[in-house]
Amino acid sequence: MTTPALNPFLSRRRALALGGLAGGVALTASACSSGSSGSGDPNTFEFWSFTGINQKADVESYKKLAPDVTVKLTEVGNAQETAQGLTTALAGGKVPDLVLIQAGDLPKFMKNPGNFTDLATLGADQVEDDYVDWVMAQATAKSGEIVGIPTDVGGMGVAYRTDLFAAAGLPTNRDEVSALWPTWEEFIATGQRYTQASGSAFIDNAATTVFLQAVSQGTEQYYSADGEVVYDTNPVVKDSFDLGLKAIAAGITAKLESFSDGWNAGMAKGTFAAVAAPSWMLGSIRSAAPETEGKWDIATIPGGSGNWGGSYLAIPARAGNPKAAWAYISKMQSPEQQLQHFIESGSLPTTPVNYDKPELVDHTDPFFGDAPTGKIFTQAVLGLKPFLNGEYNTEISTELLNALNGVEGDGAPAAAAWDTAVKGIKTAIGA
Amino acid sequence: MAATLTPGTLKGVKPATATRPVEKRWERLAPYGYVAPFYVLFLVFGLFPLLFTFYVALFDWNPIGDKTFVGLANFQQLAADPRFWNALKNTFSIWIISTAPQLLIALVLAQVLNSALLRFATFFRMAMLLPYITSVAATAIVFAQLFNRDFGLLNWVIGGLGFEHVDFMSTPVGSHLLVSTMVVWRWFGYNTLLYLAALQAVPRDLYEAAAMDGAGPVKQFFHITLPSLRPVIVFTVIMSTIGGLQIFTEPLLLSNGTLTCGTARQCQTLSLFLYEQGFGSFKFGYGSAIGVALFAIIVVVALVNFLLSSRLGKKG
């Protein structure tokens, strides 16, 4: 139940929501906060979420568990816009009682934990051990406050079209397909085989499906464990960037930015045959190309494990009704409910106690050729050594992705791409 | 000509609508009360934000964290920031290639709509406003689809003619043209109606007299029409300057909502850059500095435009 952590692309619908924002952020913020959460009604609270992840379903199921509580859900915009709206609200507007923040935006808020209710005071210290430790650690401030409770993690995989693979003479069985690409080099080589046989593109784009996945697999990304900016010295970043360039040079990409109109259309038309798919992406594929049901399957990601994305629920410090919001969090993010949510939506739980439950391990998804999604994504997360997300993760990532997209789509010279990105980052963050 | 009343003719005659001498204090103050709402609203929503922006620009200000006074450092940083100059260049480029055609088209169309030969004139005049009253978001969706690289109608034609598909948003020239086309589409009708209203206020006898004196249509246009339109041209030029330099929604929506508007910021305008810094990177101080710079640029350009356009049609 999240959107991409570092997503610089928006769907049309999200762009529309942003168009609303264009009218004035303050206006949006106040319009969104016109509810009565501050009025003191203990059974009503206001919840800001982002679009595209169907929080409505969660709110609906909460109605069954707590029928006397009214949840006023507002989908502010995409994840980035929701974070921006929250920023404006925290800076002086009317805040919601509960807000969903994606993992990539969290570090900016973690810098000033005073803006949020320390969930430990509401009982989070009792349940924090229920969650994956490194995911929980990202939402715990240096001074010990618990800012958020993790709703899901984005264990990685590769979704591929079995019909297109078969037509190109590639194996279709998910274990055989996984065996095709233990490494990213072999992934690109497979792509070349596919493109030669079929004459069409193998992946949607190199920036997200190759670079962003590869760079999310290291134990260190743009920041070192002690918070130093290391994107320009960390070999993982440069190597992943070069992999992206290599995929572009191999001519296997459809040059379609993730979540764009062309991407949605291309998904349905089979313009590309494979796409990086963390657990939450399955929902995007389902809604972009509903008519492709049953033609998909899911293989493991080259390089084994990794995480892309994830979200947290937090309560602003000035919330009018923090108790009702916490009641919602503790109920809906309990291990049992997270498992339930996985069965309904496919987002991977953050509660390890679920990771060997048969309901999760044996779960199969008919849309994706009955792939055992729970098992695949759990393995991706279990083998993970997490990296630190820093304050400017989004800015750094945006510049790197832009440089790659520039080479891929706009014909920028590949040899200068890395320098362009580094220069852009230095201007953006001053380091 | 009506007889002119001079003070002398009033002597000894009590005016029919004499005002009572103002005695009560509240009666003297009442007019101020009537106009007060505008000024109060202006103070709260106009002047205060403006001054506050100047103030914020002097700080390193995290909206949800600390603020530190840094003086003019934000402006120094701005002057050295290639992204700022890039955004400035884009803004001017888009503004020029949208404003000039838009006002020219409006001028020509207003002439056509004002022609006595035109049938169904009311229908055409009403139709002029259609693009203007359509929401920007809806217009952007249509334009994005028309100009889409893979599935757009325009590229379908281009492809049909045997040429390579054009990715308009990927190059500075292409994206500026696309954004400008959308701006022109949205605003030409609005300006046409303004010009039309001004044209209809020009006395017919001026043209008749000119025709009698042997002036052709071109001479009439330059010596009667243009001078009569001068006030409204000044108005539209100033308004287009303010609107054009603040352009935000069109590039944002056409680029799928990316605040950088393209991988190399090829269509990022000053407003987008401001928004990116202030609300994307949480740099309120820096964002405000961009806002102040934008304000100064608009004032200067509007002033220059005012001087230029008010000379229009004057004998130089």
Side-chain angles (χ1 to χ4, degrees), chain A residues 279-292:
Chain A
S279 54
W280 49 261
M281 178 76 93
L282 303 188
S284 306
I285 298 175
R286 234 184 238 117
S287 59
E291 61 272 39
T292 59

Side-chain angles (χ1 to χ4, degrees), chain A residues 97-101 106 116 119 147-149 312-316 325 329:
Chain A
D97 299 298
L98 180 68
V99 63
L100 190 69
I101 304 172
L106 192 68
F116 295 91
L119 298 181
V147 170
I149 293 290
Y312 294 86
L313 282 169
I315 302 176
I329 297 179

Side-chain angles (χ1 to χ4, degrees), chain A residues 8 10 12 15-16 18 22 25 84 87 90-91 108 112 115 255-256 260 269 395 399 402 405-406 410 427-428, chain B residues 63-65 81 83 137 141 144 149-151 170 248 252-253 256-258 260 263 265-266 275 279 281-283:
Chain A
L10 309 174
R12 176 68 53 211
L16 275 181
L18 195 56
V25 174
Q84 287 160 6
T87 309
L90 292 176
K108 280 205 175 74
N112 302 94
N115 286 305
K255 304 181 181 181
L256 292 169
S260 67
K269 291 186 181 191
E395 281 81 1
E399 294 293 338
N402 271 348
N405 283 326
D410 305 346
T427 318
Chain B
I64 56 165
D81 191 337
R83 297 172 302 176
I141 289 178
R149 181 191 68 193
D150 297 311
F151 312 108
S170 77
F248 177 83
L252 180 69
L253 291 183
N256 249 326
T258 50
T260 52
T263 57
R265 299 173 186 272
Q266 55 261 40
Y275 190 80
F279 295 93
S281 300
F282 291 6
K283 290 177 178 167

Side-chain angles (χ1 to χ4, degrees), chain A residues 40-336:
Chain A
D41 179 357
N43 286 330
T44 302
F45 72 94
E46 204 169 328
F47 177 16
W48 285 8
S49 164
F50 23 95
T51 50
I53 53 156
N54 202 11
Q55 278 295 304
K56 280 193 196 87
D58 267 27
V59 170
E60 285 300 317
S61 33
Y62 189 62
K63 265 186 196 155
K64 286 180 203 119
L65 299 168
D68 50 339
V69 179
T70 312
V71 185
K72 293 189 169 172
L73 175 70
T74 307
E75 293 192 333
V76 179
N78 78 344
Q80 214 181 330
E81 290 147 22
T82 308
Q84 287 160 6
L86 177 66
T87 309
T88 330
L90 292 176
K94 193 163 172 315
V95 294
D97 299 298
L98 180 68
V99 63
L100 190 69
I101 304 172
Q102 67 168 357
D105 291 318
L106 192 68
K108 280 205 175 74
F109 294 108
M110 292 302 297
K111 248 192 118 188
N112 302 94
N115 286 305
F116 295 91
T117 306
D118 179 6
L119 298 181
T121 62
L122 295 168
D125 49 341
Q126 312 288 320
V127 297
E128 64 177 318
D129 294 338
D130 289 353
Y131 301 94
V132 180
D133 51 359
W134 62 266
V135 180
M136 199 64 214
Q138 298 204 334
T140 309
K142 283 200 184 95
S143 36
E145 295 100 329
I146 299 176
V147 170
I149 293 290
T151 59
D152 67 314
V153 287
M156 292 179 186
V158 176
Y160 65 96
R161 288 277 294 269
T162 48
D163 55 336
L164 299 178
F165 267 46
L170 290 172
T172 56
N173 174 282
R174 75 181 66 93
D175 293 325
E176 291 171 49
V177 171
S178 300
L180 286 176
W181 52 60
T183 68
W184 283 105
E185 271 81 10
E186 282 158 297
F187 181 76
I188 294 169
T190 308
Q192 282 173 308
R193 261 176 73 192
Y194 173 87
T195 301
Q196 267 161 22
S198 67
S200 56
F202 180 58
I203 51 173
D204 50 347
N205 67 76
T208 41
T209 287
V210 177
F211 163 71
L212 197 55
Q213 310 307 308
V215 82
S216 303
Q217 291 177 327
T219 55
E220 191 177 272
Q221 198 186 36
Y222 309 136
Y223 287 80
S224 70
D226 47 6
E228 295 290 309
V229 181
V230 295
Y231 68 91
D232 51 347
T233 52
N234 179 5
V236 173
V237 181
K238 181 72 165 63
D239 291 349
S240 307
F241 193 86
D242 289 341
L243 276 175
L245 288 176
K246 206 173 158 189
I248 296 168
I252 59 168
T253 87
K255 304 181 181 181
L256 292 169
E257 290 187 5
S258 303
F259 312 107
S260 67
D261 286 345
W263 186 79
N264 285 329
M267 186 89 76
K269 291 186 181 191
T271 310
F272 50 90
V275 54
S279 54
W280 49 261
M281 178 76 93
L282 303 188
S284 306
I285 298 175
R286 234 184 238 117
S287 59
E291 61 272 39
T292 59
E293 168 152 22
K295 294 179 179 168
W296 293 90
D297 210 322
I298 298 167
T300 55
I301 190 108
S305 55
N307 174 56
W308 178 19
S311 292
Y312 294 86
L313 282 169
I315 302 176
R318 289 191 284 113
N321 199 352
K323 288 222 166 64
W326 172 252
Y328 178 86
I329 297 179
S330 58
K331 193 81 201 168
M332 295 311 292
Q333 301 311 327
S334 66
E336 304 80 53

Side-chain angles (χ1 to χ4, degrees), chain B residues 134-153:
Chain B
T134 312
S135 92
V136 198
T139 318
I141 289 178
V142 174
F143 270 76
Q145 287 184 349
L146 279 178
F147 288 83
N148 185 288
R149 181 191 68 193
D150 297 311
F151 312 108
L153 184 67

